[in-house]
Amino acid sequence: MDLNKLKEIQAVVFDMDGLMFDSERYADYLRVMSKFPTYSLRNTVLIAMQAPDATHVMGFKAWKDPLINRHVKADEKGIRIIAPTEKTIRKQVEKLDPDTQQPIIGADGKPVTEVQEIKIPKFIVVSVFDVAQTEGKELPTLAAELTGNVERYPDFFAALEKTSPFAVGFDELTGNVKGRCNYEERKIIINEGMSELQNIKTAIHEIAHATLHDTAIDAPERPDRRTREVQAESIAYTVCQHYGLDTSDYSFGYVAGWSSGRELDELKSSLETIRSTAAEIINSIDEHLQEIQKEHDKEQVQKEVAEPDKDTFSIYQLKRGDETRDFRFEPYDRLAATGRTADRANYDLIYTAELTPGTSLEDIYTRFNIDHPKDFKGHSLSVSDVVVLHQNGQDTAHYVDSFGYK
């Protein structure tokens, strides 16, 4: 292990004079944080400084996994981060009695010894590569299923309400105030009449306050107001970025105003708080979105049962998660060639509607790519989706392929 290399990397992490809260570097940091909420503070900083546009990083061998089927392109330079590992050493130690935990004394009157393997934790420098540095099988873009589709706004906001430690409601606020966190009444109020994006961003901002700052006003651990606002808006930006919602025009002006004149050490002390809280909120939103989707599935099934004889069509899309990653956007022939099938257990029922006379599969494909119905909550119809036609009491399933259906 090159100790000098590790020291060099650590020096970069702690030499963050350019990481000002009103700078593009800070914007890069938060964007990277939004993509890698489980990474440590120092590794998030390292990725942001070396590859601010990175979206999905893994090790050289990990990209070659058969399930991922990509490889790092020639002459690509790795992104250096710090990874934990263990060093095993063999050491002569006194043998202990298993009952008394005292040294065992031999016939010569001296403690009996034995060789034991001891693992010593340490850190090493490793290289990871962004997806842009690789080529091979296309990776699905999961965020597009939620972001950019305003029709999922009701579900997203419902997930925020479940995530919030305080009740969330709307009311008219004066003085250009967009949101308010009332700690005494444990309420979050969002100004009426704003856009959906502003509502979401404001709700996350106030949820960050409720999560972090619900302490006594004079408590020594409570940050001052400027720090509280920098933390809340940075968390709101990070969470929104994770879901593809760009609030940079508003957020960075807001952060710059509240952080103006602060000492760098004060600002740096908030970074780990911002990272961990954003990750906590993202995880909670994801869990609640999954619960909400299950409720939608149940409602759709009940609707189908209530009207069994009406001609309908239903759209099924693969569940989100690693277990279905290898099936997404797979042409039917390639799926069959590897012995796999379109298993109903891997799919969520996304949409059901009446099948009007004369409507073809191509009509459905066009409609759900160009002019989504307002109550459609999935992504545009694409390869690996399944359309089920219920006609004359019979169901036929049609796999969306690279060209047409199977």
Side-chain angles (χ1 to χ4, degrees):
M1 169 60 202
D2 187 343
L3 186 59
N4 290 331
K5 183 185 291 185
L6 179 59
K7 288 181 178 179
E8 175 189 341
I9 291 289
Q10 289 174 328
V12 170
V13 172
F14 294 108
D15 182 20
M16 296 188 295
D17 290 343
L19 194 60
M20 296 303 294
F21 279 63
D22 59 350
S23 69
E24 183 60 27
R25 178 62 59 81
Y26 185 60
D28 289 341
Y29 171 75
L30 291 186
R31 290 188 193 103
V32 171
M33 183 196 294
S34 75
K35 302 297 182 185
F36 309 108
T38 60
Y39 273 55
S40 68
L41 169 62
R42 61 185 176 187
N43 279 337
T44 305
V45 172
L46 284 169
I47 295 171
M49 298 183 81
Q50 298 171 80
D53 295 325
T55 59
H56 191 132
V57 301
M58 290 195 296
F60 186 89
K61 291 183 178 179
W63 281 116
K64 297 170 70 174
D65 188 302
L67 293 176
I68 299 171
N69 198 19
R70 293 182 71 85
H71 61 272
V72 177
K73 292 182 284 189
D75 300 324
E76 289 289 345
K77 183 180 179 181
I79 302 165
R80 296 188 299 172
I81 62 173
I82 300 173
T85 188
E86 292 179 333
K87 178 182 180 181
T88 302
I89 63 171
R90 297 172 63 85
K91 187 176 181 180
Q92 196 83 18
V93 298
E94 293 180 347
K95 190 173 183 179
L96 301 180
D97 184 287
D99 296 324
T100 65
Q101 293 299 305
Q102 296 298 316
I104 298 174
I105 305 301
D108 59 358
K110 297 180 181 180
V112 176
T113 62
E114 62 180 354
V115 175
Q116 286 186 357
E117 289 189 349
I118 300 175
K119 296 185 182 297
I120 301 174
K122 66 174 186 174
F123 291 91
I124 61 172
V125 176
V126 299
S127 290
V128 293
F129 298 84
D130 182 49
V131 62
Q133 299 174 284
T134 68
E135 55 191 5
K137 178 181 171 183
E138 183 177 355
L139 290 180
T141 305
L142 300 183
E145 296 181 12
L146 175 66
T147 64
N149 183 354
V150 296
E151 307 308 333
R152 289 218 65 179
Y153 168 76
D155 288 351
F156 194 87
F157 200 88
L160 287 179
E161 290 180 299
K162 292 175 181 290
T163 294
S164 175
F166 293 178
V168 180
F170 288 83
D171 202 352
E172 185 176 346
L173 300 176
T174 59
N176 200 33
V177 175
K178 292 178 170 55
R180 179 172 291 136
C181 184
N182 189 317
Y183 299 100
E184 291 183 0
E185 298 181 10
R186 298 183 67 80
K187 280 185 182 179
I188 288 173
I189 304 298
I190 298 172
N191 191 29
E192 291 181 336
M194 301 191 300
S195 69
E196 292 177 351
L197 179 59
Q198 186 68 58
N199 288 342
I200 289 171
K201 199 287 307 173
T202 301
I204 298 170
H205 178 108
E206 302 303 336
I207 288 169
H209 278 312
T211 302
L212 288 176
H213 307 137
D214 184 24
T215 58
I217 294 177
D218 56 353
E221 68 273 16
R222 182 180 174 85
D224 61 69
R225 187 181 180 191
R226 290 203 291 177
T227 299
R228 296 199 304 271
E229 294 302 329
V230 167
Q231 289 176 346
E233 191 63 21
S234 296
I235 290 166
Y237 174 82
T238 301
V239 174
C240 285
Q241 276 284 310
H242 179 79
Y243 295 106
L245 305 173
D246 186 9
T247 65
S248 55
D249 288 347
Y250 179 92
S251 294
F252 285 106
Y254 188 98
V255 169
W258 280 104
S259 62
S260 178
R262 305 311 302 272
E263 293 294 328
L264 185 60
D265 286 343
E266 295 178 77
L267 301 178
K268 286 198 301 189
S269 67
S270 291
L271 292 180
E272 176 57 26
T273 299
I274 292 165
R275 187 205 65 78
S276 60
T277 307
E280 177 185 334
I281 291 174
I282 287 168
N283 289 336
S284 178
I285 292 172
D286 285 346
E287 289 174 4
H288 290 306
L289 280 174
Q290 290 178 1
E291 294 171 1
I292 291 168
Q293 183 60 53
K294 288 180 182 178
E295 289 299 318
H296 288 323
D297 291 349
K298 189 183 300 183
E299 291 170 3
Q300 290 282 13
V301 170
Q302 291 172 347
K303 183 178 178 181
E304 287 181 334
V305 172
E307 300 178 344
D309 295 323
K310 181 182 287 187
D311 287 353
T312 62
F313 70 93
S314 300
I315 294 175
Y316 293 81
Q317 294 179 340
L318 285 166
K319 295 177 179 178
R320 295 194 295 171
D322 291 341
E323 66 275 9
T324 60
R325 179 177 58 189
D326 203 36
F327 293 83
R328 288 193 185 91
F329 311 120
E330 279 287 87
Y332 188 83
D333 289 346
R334 192 157 65 192
L335 199 68
T338 56
R340 294 171 294 165
T341 61
D343 189 342
R344 172 64 182 88
N346 291 331
Y347 283 79
D348 283 326
L349 175 59
I350 301 298
Y351 188 79
T352 295
E354 182 178 357
L355 182 66
T356 57
T359 300
S360 68
L361 286 168
E362 288 304 320
D363 293 334
I364 294 172
Y365 183 86
T366 301
R367 183 182 182 194
F368 285 84
N369 272 278
I370 296 175
D371 185 22
H372 298 173
K374 289 185 177 180
D375 57 345
F376 178 62
K377 298 178 175 64
H379 58 69
S380 295
L381 209 59
S382 56
V383 175
S384 75
D385 294 345
V386 174
V387 177
V388 175
L389 301 183
H390 179 81
Q391 296 173 296
N392 303 318
Q394 300 293 321
D395 288 336
T396 56
H398 305 268
Y399 188 90
V400 181
D401 210 354
S402 301
F403 299 98
Y405 292 83
K406 288 285 188 180

